[in-house]
Amino acid sequence: MSHENDQALPLEMRLGDYRLDAIIGHGGFGITYRAFDTQLAKFVAIKEYFPVEFAARRRDGHVVPRGSRFADDFVWGRERFLDEARALARFRHAHIVPVLRYFEANGTAYTVMEFEDGRSVAQLLRESKRRLQPDEVSRLAEGLLSGLRAVHAQGFLHRDIKPSNIIIRHDGVPVLIDFGAARQAMGGRTQTLTSILTPQYAPIEQYAIDGKQGPWSDIYSAAAVLHHAVAGSPPPEAVSRVGVDPYRPLAATQADRFDQTLLVAIDRGLAFAPDQRPQTVADWSAMFGAVLPQADDAPTQRLPGAAAAPRLGGVRRESGKPVPPAPKSQSSPPPPSPRRSRAGLWTITVLAAVTAAALWRFQPELGAMLAVAPPPDGPAAEAPPPPVATQLPATPSPSSSSSVAAPAAPAATPPVEPPAQPLPPDRSAQKALIDQAQRAAAEARVALNRADEASKAARSMAGEARIVAARAASPALENAERLSYDGGASYVGQVVAGKRQGLGVADLNNGERQAGDWDADRLNGLGVVRLGDDTRYTGQWRDGQSTGLGIRERPGVERAEGNFVAGRMEGPGVRRKLAAPSLVQSGEFHADMLDGPGVETLGDGERYEGGFRGNRRQGYGQLTGVDGKVRAGLWEDGKLVDSAP
């Protein structure tokens, strides 16, 4: 264990319903772990209250003050930690990590948050020391402003905004994490806690014990992150700016790459003196003007039925009143005069008569032209039928049965080439098609994130199942008995009242092997089953059927990770066809088929993001070719029926 983590809890330790499996962050105020929730079968992030300045861990894992003179600060900080957790747990915001629960243990306190899967801004900036692109900086700024507005409205400061505390999720949404550093309510008590900071991103007032902090302090830190994203390096540390300020405005150094309005707004947020910065996020937002993406910024949503969060000082957000409808105009255009109306009717009548005569005169020529015109949609390639998962019959065992769905190779839907001689495009129709395809692709990417999370949880559950199966097959298994059945089937394991109960292994006469946790003569709990054709399922079982999180695979052919019901994928998951041509499908599955928004990636690099039905592309979506070009399209039963570049 590295020096900075020598005070952390040991990995694999159980903390209530959670199993710690990685240390993902540490700072002056606490340690953050990645943990597996054994009840909900998902990964979470757990923040432990551990102020390094005045706390230490005993050998039994308990956290205690370093001495009596730190006891008051330690206890006061722990109470504020819990207060903030209670408040943050009662609202939801797109750019703030959700708090799921909080509890006390080991003499300290813990906050359980969603595990935001993605890359931190720090990781993005470390890649070849690169800078972010203008559109990436704009999205980052919009997310920071939106999240901070919600944090400040609840009476909190973040106090530790830095690149490693901002996660860019797979769908591109920036999320503020690690609210353990938001340790002091606005206007609250000033203590040693205030001096815990991150250099280069902390304002000057955070260095002083009696420094007055407020929204302007978080604004400085957020501006420092944006400076790093724009220039490739953070601004000078605040303490080095005392006296002769070495700061060089971005408006002068980066004007060739970024919008001047954006750069000026960042420079204003980085003003050295607190009173020269914007005092609220609303003030700062106004400085960006129209540079930021126009994203919906709904107010923070509180969970229904939750009690009001404890007020810890700061700004109170008043509920807005409904906006009255705009008054009708007092003046309206006068009705057309009878003379003008009659003139208009005569004009329309004459035009209609001329058009009809022209159509009648040139009817033969028009008919011949239409007869030879190529069909606008072109030939459509037939998609192969969707794969059907075959349910194997129950195992012929006198006292047990198990069923695992046989893997079915999903069919890749080849892209259909656009018509060779398309008609002139209808620009409005093409725009509508592109907009709908972009929305469908965005929904597909959200489904992809859920599928990836389910896949990770399934892999973790499969690991647990392999451990259980290994214990079941151990020669040293306690109270193991051997049962024999007609046809050569056998069971070696724990038995209660003549039935398989506890850990054990069954070898059936059809070549199937079952190992794991048994109840009422069937696999119930965690276990591994290998069928005669080498198909295997590793994960959760219920009444002898693969139900719950797990992995179904046939080596070299297919692998499916996610949630299962009676041997079939049901819910978010990922399925990989390993044999050529390779294929990966991610999204929502029903009855073992991709059904709803999802993502399909072919082995040659082609990628489809959009809707599916019965494992085939259905509805709107985006197709990214091997050349990287993106095309919007509409699919029906796996066939491309309309497209736009």
Side-chain angles (χ1 to χ4, degrees), residues 59-425:
R59 290 187 177 182
D60 61 1
H62 277 63
V63 179
V64 295
R66 288 186 179 274
S68 57
R69 66 190 182 98
F70 295 118
D72 288 344
D73 284 345
F74 177 82
V75 173
W76 185 87
R78 184 178 61 195
E79 291 306 312
R80 299 293 77 71
F81 182 94
L82 290 170
D83 280 346
E84 292 167 288
R86 292 186 189 99
L88 292 170
R90 290 187 174 99
F91 68 87
R92 293 291 183 265
H93 192 277
H95 300 290
I96 301 173
V97 59
V99 172
L100 305 177
R101 62 172 295 198
Y102 49 89
F103 60 93
E104 294 184 68
N106 298 329
T108 186
Y110 298 87
T111 300
V112 183
M113 301 165 285
E114 286 283 0
F115 177 69
E116 297 292 353
D117 195 13
R119 290 187 295 173
S120 70
V121 173
Q123 290 174 307
L124 293 175
L125 293 172
R126 277 198 300 267
E127 293 177 356
S128 302
K129 297 183 179 180
R130 77 181 186 96
R131 297 176 290 181
L132 300 186
Q133 297 302 311
D135 60 331
E136 295 175 314
V137 174
S138 296
R139 287 196 298 271
L140 175 60
E142 191 278 329
L144 284 174
L145 289 165
S146 180
L148 283 179
R149 187 181 299 117
V151 172
H152 294 168
Q154 295 299 324
F156 293 102
L157 294 178
H158 189 288
R159 296 180 186 270
D160 196 17
I161 299 172
K162 55 187 177 182
S164 59
N165 280 346
I166 306 166
I167 297 295
I168 305 299
R169 296 191 326 213
H170 291 303
D171 57 2
V173 175
V175 180
L176 277 167
I177 65 168
D178 199 356
F179 276 80
R183 59 200 174 277
Q184 199 173 25
M186 289 182 185
R189 158 179 171 172
T190 299
Q191 285 288 347
T192 310
L193 296 171
T194 313
S195 65
I196 302 173
L197 52 82
T198 302
Q200 297 180 309
Y201 304 99
I204 191 62
E205 62 269 23
Q206 214 168 339
Y207 285 81
I209 292 179
D210 57 351
K212 183 181 178 182
Q213 300 183 44
W216 52 88
S217 306
D218 278 346
I219 287 173
Y220 183 97
S221 298
V225 171
L226 294 176
H227 183 287
H228 195 164
V230 168
S233 61
E237 292 187 29
V239 292
S240 71
R241 301 179 64 184
V242 178
V244 179
D245 189 352
Y247 179 75
R248 299 182 63 196
L250 293 176
T253 62
Q254 303 294 326
D256 59 329
R257 296 184 62 240
F258 288 87
D259 187 281
Q260 190 74 7
T261 304
L262 174 75
L263 300 178
V264 170
I266 297 174
D267 288 336
R268 288 290 302 276
L270 282 169
F272 176 77
D275 59 356
Q276 294 180 5
R277 298 178 217 139
Q279 298 298 288
T280 67
V281 174
D283 294 340
W284 197 30
S285 297
M287 296 179 183
F288 285 90
V291 175
L292 302 184
Q294 297 300 310
D296 293 334
D297 185 20
T300 300
Q301 299 296 314
R302 290 183 179 274
L303 297 180
R311 293 301 306 170
L312 300 177
V315 182
R316 179 183 299 275
R317 184 178 62 211
E318 300 294 337
S319 58
K321 297 180 179 180
V323 179
K328 295 183 179 179
S329 174
Q330 299 299 321
S331 61
S332 57
S337 66
R339 182 186 304 275
R340 291 182 179 179
S341 300
R342 285 193 295 271
L345 289 174
W346 276 108
T347 302
I348 294 172
T349 303
V350 171
L351 288 174
V354 172
T355 302
L359 290 173
W360 177 82
R361 167 65 182 81
F362 296 104
Q363 182 178 2
E365 290 82 353
L366 290 172
M369 290 172 63
L370 292 174
V372 299
D377 291 336
E382 289 292 334
V388 178
T390 305
Q391 186 72 22
L392 295 183
T395 302
S397 173
S399 57
S400 68
S401 64
S402 68
S403 59
V404 178
T413 306
V416 179
E417 293 297 326
Q421 298 179 359
L423 295 177

Side-chain angles (χ1 to χ4, degrees), residues 54 71 84-85 95 107 114 121 147 163 245 265 288 290 305 313 333 371 407 456 465 471 478 487 492 503 530 602:
F54 45 86
E84 292 167 288
H95 300 290
E114 286 283 0
V121 173
D245 189 352
F288 285 90
K456 290 180 181 178
R471 290 174 53 204
E478 295 181 357
V492 177
L503 297 174
R530 187 188 70 237
L602 304 183

Side-chain angles (χ1 to χ4, degrees), residues 12-33:
E12 300 300 326
M13 173 183 171
R14 293 275 181 164
L15 194 62
D17 294 334
Y18 308 101
R19 187 191 69 238
L20 307 181
D21 73 343
I23 299 170
I24 57 177
H26 52 85
F29 195 65
I31 303 172
T32 305
Y33 307 87

